[in-house]
Amino acid sequence: MATVEHCLCCFEALAAYHERRKPMSLSEIEKSWAEYINTIDDQDPDNKEATTVSSSKAPQIPALRRLAAATLPSSSTSSSSTSLATSSSTSTSSSNTTLQSGISTPATSIAASDSPAPPTQSPLFVTWNVVHDSDDDVSLRGCIGTFESQPLSSGLPSYALTSALQDTRFHPISWADLPSLQVAVTLLTDFEPAVDAMDWELGKHGLRISFVYRGRRYGATYLPDVAPEQGWTKEETVVSLMRKAGWEGNKSRWREVELRVVRYQGKKEKLGYEEYKAWRDWVDEKRGECT
């Protein structure tokens, strides 16, 4: 499952790219984050007099405390939630995303929960969103991923940069864009062939379809939460996905197209720039104390 550390790794890769410095590795981030959330956990949230934060204490950002609570239910074990995404040549919602191999799909989110140690490799998607009034009010800024399993230590920073800088639907993300961003990481799991186009559950499964129509190959994918977010039925979801792939046939005759359908699951972890910056400032201050 995706974790906060995975999201930090993506922000770190993009920030380091713009700052022309070497980014921290995923293993370094995981170790640092564990120390950081312990620092947050040590603070008394009811102490209203603690209006300033020393270099040994982390900032009191509510979102960070929520992340720490998710990561540390009663100890310092990591928790996570995950997500998925891909897209076609058109972007129809804030969760639309693009697959490196050319398939496209939207992104999902499921609440964080306690989990075993995160995997070291997985198929993955990295989604960048622009945050508006709240974490739930976002618009897509870039998303690219892969269905091929990747070592997360290299795959996360690689796809973080690819989705930020090479999603052709958008201008590359600049340094000035960072404060308005939210990143979401999705690790994909439980791939299985569906018996037919209706053999899946709304809100549980993402869909990846492929088909041939008039000699041309098509393919696209939707994340598990896309259909519920849009209020679609299963049939509406499949037809929309075919449209996303580029199919222009009569929608009343979609069942005449022979679809190959793979269903999968994916849970998303997301993180805003404010949380990343608070952690990164803490890292820099801590390093400064050691020099």
Side-chain angles (χ1 to χ4, degrees):
M1 298 176 72
T3 66
V4 172
E5 295 94 316
H6 295 155
C7 296
L8 289 171
C9 184
C10 294
F11 259 122
E12 174 69 3
L14 184 56
Y17 169 83
H18 285 297
E19 293 170 359
R20 300 181 182 276
R21 60 173 174 81
K22 181 179 178 180
M24 293 174 65
S25 68
L26 179 58
S27 61
E28 290 172 331
I29 290 170
E30 289 170 338
K31 180 180 178 181
S32 174
W33 177 251
E35 296 176 1
Y36 182 62
I37 58 176
N38 282 331
T39 300
I40 296 177
D41 198 48
D42 287 341
Q43 296 182 43
D44 180 6
D46 296 324
N47 183 4
K48 298 180 180 180
E49 295 180 359
T51 56
T52 60
V53 178
S54 69
S55 60
S56 62
K57 294 292 183 180
Q60 292 296 304
I61 297 177
L64 283 173
R65 187 165 293 283
R66 290 195 298 272
L67 290 171
T71 309
L72 286 176
S74 59
S75 65
S76 60
T77 56
S78 295
S79 92
S80 65
S81 86
T82 55
S83 100
L84 154 64
T86 62
S87 99
S88 67
S89 58
T90 61
S91 59
T92 58
S93 78
S94 64
S95 59
N96 255 357
T97 56
T98 304
L99 176 61
Q100 183 69 11
S101 62
I103 297 177
S104 73
T105 192
T108 77
S109 75
I110 298 180
S113 61
D114 299 337
S115 67
T120 58
Q121 62 180 44
S122 175
L124 63 92
F125 282 84
V126 176
T127 304
W128 294 101
N129 292 315
V130 175
V131 179
H132 300 296
D133 295 331
S134 70
D135 286 346
D136 295 324
D137 182 12
V138 299
S139 57
L140 184 66
R141 189 61 176 81
C143 185
I144 294 178
T146 178
F147 285 111
E148 298 295 327
S149 185
Q150 303 286 311
L152 298 183
S153 58
S154 58
L156 285 170
S158 175
Y159 278 92
L161 292 179
T162 301
S163 60
L165 305 174
Q166 297 180 26
D167 188 329
T168 56
R169 296 167 297 170
F170 306 95
H171 293 298
I173 292 175
S174 69
W175 170 253
D177 294 326
L178 289 181
S180 66
L181 294 180
Q182 173 197 88
V183 69
V185 173
T186 304
L187 305 186
L188 314 185
T189 64
D190 301 301
F191 290 88
E192 53 188 354
V195 174
D196 55 44
M198 296 289 105
D199 181 29
W200 56 283
E201 295 182 35
L202 282 166
K204 178 180 179 180
H205 294 112
L207 293 182
R208 182 184 186 185
I209 65 169
S210 58
F211 58 97
V212 176
Y213 183 73
R214 294 181 177 175
R216 179 182 173 187
R217 294 184 180 276
Y218 297 84
T221 183
Y222 271 156
L223 297 174
D225 61 348
V226 173
E229 285 180 354
Q230 300 298 322
W232 292 334
T233 64
K234 292 169 71 171
E235 181 172 339
E236 288 171 336
T237 301
V238 173
V239 173
S240 175
L241 190 52
M242 293 174 70
R243 292 291 193 219
K244 177 177 284 296
W247 181 68
E248 298 179 349
N250 187 328
K251 68 177 183 179
S252 66
R253 304 180 67 176
W254 73 268
R255 292 179 183 273
E256 298 177 11
V257 180
E258 185 175 349
L259 298 177
R260 179 177 178 271
V261 182
V262 174
R263 66 187 190 186
Y264 57 83
Q265 298 180 44
K267 299 175 183 178
K268 174 176 62 182
E269 185 64 82
K270 61 185 179 180
L271 185 80
Y273 178 78
E274 183 182 18
E275 293 86 52
Y276 162 75
K277 186 64 164 58
W279 164 78
R280 182 67 219 193
D281 287 346
W282 176 85
V283 170
D284 291 339
E285 290 181 21
K286 192 168 181 288
R287 287 177 172 179
E289 291 175 354
C290 298
T291 58

